[in-house]
């Protein structure tokens, strides 16, 4: 199957200033008129055009262990939950043949049982950047509440605590159409700034999600239009500590089973779902 693509459009355009020049961005409350930086040099270009899986020169599993878990969801990270086909990258959820016990979730009072395999791939140790723009084109399943997926940037220095969530979605049910972008100044209960796309889009269709990280702000874009901005001037000390000139960030692609904020995944009738990613392009901020 041949999938539609905007690659020909973005080849010669920056995710910020280039798109504005092309007339694809509208002026918005996110201070488009104040955007003084441009992004022209491609420093990461993932088109998923070769092979049957993510390139090992760009991506690795977050853990070297064949199975690993986190305390904030109900799934199991495995190494067979990502693939490439027809020029599209896939990260997925898959019902396990045998449920996993022994890795406790911090929200469960009784023993945690994990029924679903999930993905966590990252460019950590392979690619990171300090200032620049990221654009990705993706679509997300809406079949089941609790299909929590994210395209994140995390700091190379773990003690930094900062995180930039380019987009997070949560599956169907009451979470249908929720696509949020968030800046975290601390992953473990720290402050941050969050906003969802409005009106809620059809996330099963292809959309572009963008982010521009500069010394002055972190700006988020949906389908080429700025809609959420976190300014350094609003929280200068925290911003500098997490997102200053000595803090490189790498890319993470994740699927999670359930969210404490957006609902659990009903595993009884669940079999499989996936996020499809057409491309991920990072451009350096021009000096």
């Amino acid at each position: 199957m041949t999938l539609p693509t905007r690659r020909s459009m973005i080849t010669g355009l920056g995710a910020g200033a280039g798109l504005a020049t092309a007339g694809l961005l509208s002026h918005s409350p996110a201070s488009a008129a104040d955007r003084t930086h441009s992004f022209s040099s491609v420093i990461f270009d993932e088109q998923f055009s070769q092979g049957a899986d993510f390139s090992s020169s760009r991506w690795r599993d977050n853990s070297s262990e064949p199975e690993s878990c986190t305390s904030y969801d109900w799934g199991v990270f495995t190494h067979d939950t990502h693939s490439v086909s027809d020029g599209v990258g896939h990260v997925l959820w898959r019902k396990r043949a045998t449920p996993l016990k022994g890795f406790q979730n911090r929200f469960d009072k009784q023993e945690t049982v994990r029924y679903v395999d999930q993905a966590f791939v990252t460019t950590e140790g392979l690619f990171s950047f300090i200032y620049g723009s990221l654009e990705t084109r993706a679509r997300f399943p809406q079949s089941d509440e609790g299909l929590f997926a994210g395209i994140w940037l995390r700091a190379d220095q773990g003690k930094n605590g900062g995180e930039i969530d380019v987009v997070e979605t949560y599956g169907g049910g009451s979470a249908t159409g929720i696509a949020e972008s968030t800046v975290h100044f601390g992953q473990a209960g720290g402050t941050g700034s969050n906003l969802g796309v409005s009106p809620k889009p059809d996330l099963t269709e292809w959309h572009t999600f963008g982010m521009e990280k500069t010394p002055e702000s972190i700006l988020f874009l949906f389908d080429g239009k700025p809609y959420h901005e976190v300014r350094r001037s609003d929280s200068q000390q925290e911003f500098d500590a997490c997102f200053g000139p000595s803090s490189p960030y790498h890319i993470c692609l994740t699927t999670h089973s359930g969210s404490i904020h957006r609902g659990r995944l009903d595993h009884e009738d669940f079999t499989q779902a996936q996020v499809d990613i057409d491309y991920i392009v990072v451009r350096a901020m021009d000096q």
Side-chain angles (χ1 to χ4, degrees):
M1 178 178 63
T2 300
L3 295 170
T5 177
R6 291 177 69 246
R7 291 174 187 168
S8 59
M9 294 179 63
I10 69 165
T11 299
L13 298 175
L19 287 174
T21 303
L24 299 179
L25 293 187
S26 63
H27 295 293
S28 79
S31 306
D34 297 336
R35 296 161 71 197
T36 59
H37 295 286
S38 59
F39 311 88
S40 58
S41 300
V42 175
I43 55 176
F44 184 87
D45 187 7
E46 179 58 87
Q47 300 289 332
F48 301 107
S49 58
Q50 296 180 335
D53 204 350
F54 284 56
S55 170
S56 59
S57 65
R58 297 191 182 102
W59 304 94
R60 66 174 183 82
D61 288 284
N62 190 54
S63 173
S64 60
E65 297 297 323
E67 294 187 338
S68 59
C69 302
T70 185
S71 66
Y72 59 82
D73 76 356
W74 289 265
V76 183
F77 296 121
T78 64
H79 295 183
D80 62 349
T81 45
H82 43 77
S83 63
V84 170
S85 64
D86 297 318
V88 175
H90 315 287
V91 287
L92 56 88
W93 302 260
R94 182 190 297 118
K95 183 76 169 285
R96 292 177 61 89
T98 304
L100 182 68
K101 300 179 181 180
F103 293 88
Q104 191 67 17
N105 184 301
R106 68 175 182 262
F107 304 116
D108 288 342
K109 295 181 180 179
Q110 299 180 345
E111 182 181 29
T112 297
V113 183
R114 299 174 182 265
Y115 295 92
V116 176
D117 287 338
Q118 58 193 21
F120 196 140
V121 291
T122 175
T123 66
E124 185 176 12
L126 301 170
F127 169 77
S128 59
F129 68 102
I130 296 176
Y131 298 123
S133 69
L134 180 150
E135 182 178 279
T136 183
R137 184 171 182 260
R139 59 187 180 186
F140 297 87
Q142 301 286 273
S143 57
D144 298 88
E145 188 172 40
L147 294 177
F148 171 22
I151 299 176
W152 302 338
L153 296 174
R154 278 190 170 175
D156 289 358
Q157 302 166 340
K159 63 181 180 181
N160 175 303
E163 180 174 304
I164 302 170
D165 298 335
V166 179
V167 59
E168 290 184 319
T169 67
Y170 305 92
S174 64
T176 298
I178 294 177
E180 298 178 325
S181 298
T182 307
V183 170
H184 296 279
F185 293 110
Q187 292 180 37
T191 59
S193 178
N194 165 277
L195 188 67
V197 175
S198 181
K200 294 177 181 177
D202 180 355
L203 294 171
T204 65
E205 299 292 332
W206 291 104
H207 294 283
T208 60
F209 303 88
M211 185 280 320
E212 296 177 1
K213 181 175 182 284
T214 71
E216 295 82 28
S217 74
I218 297 170
L219 177 69
F220 297 98
L221 306 95
F222 175 73
D223 282 341
K225 297 181 180 181
Y227 83 97
H228 180 37
E229 185 174 32
V230 177
R231 293 174 174 269
R232 175 179 181 267
S233 58
D234 293 335
S235 51
Q236 182 172 328
Q237 185 174 354
E238 288 182 306
F239 193 99
D240 289 347
C242 291
F243 308 112
S246 59
S247 299
Y249 276 69
H250 56 269
I251 305 168
C252 301
L253 309 176
T254 69
T255 56
H256 297 277
S257 301
S259 163
I260 189 65
H261 303 293
R262 299 293 188 184
R264 294 280 297 271
L265 176 64
D266 182 357
H267 63 85
E268 291 293 338
D269 297 322
F270 178 77
T271 54
Q272 182 169 315
Q274 67 186 34
V275 178
D276 297 324
I277 303 171
D278 185 20
Y279 62 78
I280 303 173
V281 175
V282 179
R283 288 177 167 83
M285 185 184 74
D286 296 336
Q287 300 299 317

